[in-house]
Amino acid sequence: MVLSCPHRWYRAAGVPRGAQPQPHVVDLRSDTVTRPSARMRQAMAQAEVGDDDYGEDPTVNVLRKDPLPPTVTLSHAELQHSAAKLLGMEEALFVPTSTMANLVAVMCHCQRRGAQLLVGREAHLHVFEQGGVAQVAGVHSQALQDLPDGTLDLSELESTIREGYGSRYHPRLELICLENTHSSAGGRVLPLTYLREVRLLADQYGLRIHMDGARLMNAAVAQGVPPAQITQHCDSVSLCFSKGLGAPAGALVAGRREFVAEAWRTRKLLGGGMRQAGVLAAAARVGLECVEETLQRDHRNARSFAQGVWELSSPFCSVNLSAVETNMVLVKVAGPWLSPEKLCERMQAVSEEEVAETGHAVSVRLFPWAADSLRAVWHQDISAHDTQLVANKLKFVARQCSREQGAAA
């Protein structure tokens, strides 16, 4: 029975008579559900702003020719310049979303008619961005099969390149797109050795590389390396501020100076020119300042949950511990009568039985990811205590399922 009205079990759980129960909600659907921290809100309120479309917003600007006003602190100024240095790129451009950042990058790299890019079949850019590279940019994508760790098979990649290289019958191959971390692979990190191999291959055939780095900082923290050590193998990179970094909105695309100049024009074309964008840039800057501490905690919590699922040894759900590298956990759900959707529903619902058995009313929001799996994503709003509550809830649901299956047998 889902919680709805006062009942005797409220008092057993310590809820005063007549009080309406408020389940503790743990939202693990994505790291996009975060709310700005108090520090971010303060930075947004105090941000020095101007018209970014005129290049006059000091919190966003790539470079300033005049000294910073005394009211502007360096910690919240020049997001684009600071981020470019962090990524080892010459310049960067602040844009509203990572989807726009990726589209801008593709349009800047693939300006000839008949251009083609190579991308993983499960890549976010290929699956979840409405085919913008074809619909808007007119660029042909050839999708290759992703391996379980989010990489592409290098032999297949090279044979695909060679098949169309110099051909008058194939589209003009211009670009290779990578995703790091790889969302559909469960937040897997692309190995540095793999990135070097792709770079050598791209150079051999005169191709460029764009990295969808929406969660690039997760990859850097997981590998214990500066972001620039990852992006040195790419011609351009996108970075999202509204995922693990916890900002309410914003992303950037970075690369060489000439590339970013063209990216500004493309952003304007796509309607991405912003005005007093420093309000958003200030929150993004705070996210960058706290990134290592925040993401290390997220990774620990995700790993802790995955360990709990593994130790549960349930016939209804399991996890591949070796695949949990960052803030995502893919939980495999065993059928036939329990689907990912059904398990997500049971994790979100709260019953009298749960409160009586566990002493807690916990509603966990998860994402049914595939036909046989669900996804949980950790972020700055989820504590170690929340993580333990989620693990306890899963144990309770697993016991429920066992009892129900036994009764049906």
Side-chain angles (χ1 to χ4, degrees):
M1 180 184 298
V2 177
L3 298 182
S4 57
C5 60
H7 211 280
R8 62 182 179 276
W9 61 266
Y10 293 3
R11 296 188 289 283
V15 179
R17 181 188 294 273
Q20 192 74 4
Q22 294 295 328
H24 181 69
V25 177
V26 183
D27 196 340
L28 298 174
R29 290 172 299 170
S30 177
D31 44 8
T32 61
V33 301
T34 57
R35 297 180 179 180
S37 64
R39 184 178 170 191
M40 280 186 181
R41 291 178 185 271
Q42 182 180 16
M44 294 168 74
Q46 297 177 347
E48 184 79 8
V49 297
D51 192 320
D52 180 50
D53 211 43
Y54 291 160
E56 295 174 355
D57 192 306
T59 313
V60 176
N61 283 347
V62 177
L63 294 171
R64 289 179 59 89
K65 295 180 180 178
D66 55 316
L68 287 170
T71 56
V72 181
T73 60
L74 282 173
S75 62
H76 295 135
E78 300 180 324
L79 172 69
Q80 293 175 150
H81 184 54
S82 300
K85 290 178 63 177
L86 180 71
L87 298 173
M89 297 290 180
E90 290 181 359
E91 287 189 5
L93 180 69
F94 191 52
V95 298
T97 68
S98 280
T99 295
M100 182 178 288
N102 289 332
L103 180 56
V104 165
V106 170
M107 292 177 71
C108 290
H109 286 307
C110 303
Q111 296 188 2
R112 295 190 296 175
R113 288 181 62 84
Q116 181 185 45
L117 62 84
L118 298 180
V119 64
R121 189 169 288 122
E122 302 299 324
H124 194 281
L125 185 150
H126 184 63
V127 179
F128 297 109
E129 298 181 7
Q130 288 203 17
V133 296
Q135 187 176 182
V136 179
V139 175
H140 179 265
S141 298
Q142 182 163 349
L144 308 180
Q145 182 59 54
D146 308 82
L147 298 178
D149 64 354
T151 63
L152 301 173
D153 181 274
L154 290 172
S155 298
E156 182 186 8
L157 180 61
E158 182 169 16
S159 65
T160 302
I161 294 171
R162 293 182 63 182
E163 181 182 7
Y165 188 72
S167 169
R168 294 183 296 175
Y169 300 96
H170 290 75
R172 295 187 176 108
L173 183 55
E174 304 270 11
L175 185 66
I176 300 171
C177 291
L178 306 175
E179 183 180 340
N180 195 16
T181 64
H182 197 290
S183 176
S184 292
R188 299 295 294 270
V189 179
L190 301 186
L192 296 176
T193 51
Y194 166 76
L195 294 177
R196 284 195 289 270
E197 291 294 327
V198 176
R199 178 76 268 173
L200 289 172
L201 195 56
D203 288 344
Q204 180 180 349
Y205 291 95
L207 306 178
R208 292 175 294 280
I209 299 173
H210 170 68
M211 178 178 287
D212 176 357
R215 296 182 175 91
L216 173 68
M217 300 308 296
N218 290 90
V221 168
Q223 292 177 313
V225 300
Q229 193 168 333
I230 298 173
T231 59
Q232 66 177 318
H233 305 294
C234 308
D235 296 282
S236 63
V237 61
S238 62
L239 176 66
C240 186
F241 295 118
S242 62
K243 293 187 172 71
L245 276 65
L252 60 79
V253 58
R256 293 184 181 275
R257 184 165 287 105
E258 298 80 8
F259 169 86
V260 173
E262 185 63 26
W264 190 97
R265 294 178 58 85
T266 307
R267 182 187 71 171
K268 183 68 174 177
L269 168 67
L270 298 175
M274 297 178 284
R275 300 302 177 180
Q276 288 69 40
V279 174
L280 297 176
R285 181 63 175 153
V286 172
L288 279 179
E289 290 173 350
C290 306
V291 64
E292 188 164 356
E293 177 184 354
T294 300
L295 298 188
Q296 283 181 349
R297 184 193 64 199
D298 293 346
H299 295 180
R300 283 196 306 269
N301 287 338
R303 182 75 182 182
S304 173
F305 172 76
Q307 183 72 32
V309 177
W310 183 79
E311 292 174 356
L312 187 59
S313 299
S314 170
F316 306 106
C317 56
S318 60
V319 67
N320 178 6
L321 275 180
S322 65
V324 181
E325 297 178 345
T326 55
N327 64 325
M328 292 187 186
V329 179
L330 291 181
V331 179
K332 189 175 182 63
V333 181
W337 63 277
L338 184 65
S339 66
E341 290 80 6
K342 288 292 184 183
L343 184 52
C344 287
E345 289 174 8
R346 299 183 77 131
M347 289 291 289
Q348 185 168 354
V350 180
S351 66
E352 295 181 15
E353 181 185 359
E354 175 190 348
V355 178
E357 188 172 325
T358 68
H360 295 284
V362 181
S363 177
V364 182
R365 296 179 179 178
L366 299 164
F367 192 87
W369 185 249
D372 64 348
S373 63
L374 60 82
R375 187 185 75 172
V377 186
W378 269 256
H379 50 80
Q380 68 174 17
D381 291 350
I382 305 300
S383 66
H385 178 63
D386 291 327
T387 303
Q388 187 59 55
L389 289 176
V390 174
N392 292 343
K393 177 67 176 263
L394 184 61
K395 290 178 184 177
F396 166 76
V397 171
R399 287 196 300 270
Q400 268 191 328
C401 291
S402 294
R403 288 194 291 263
E404 292 171 9
Q405 189 180 51

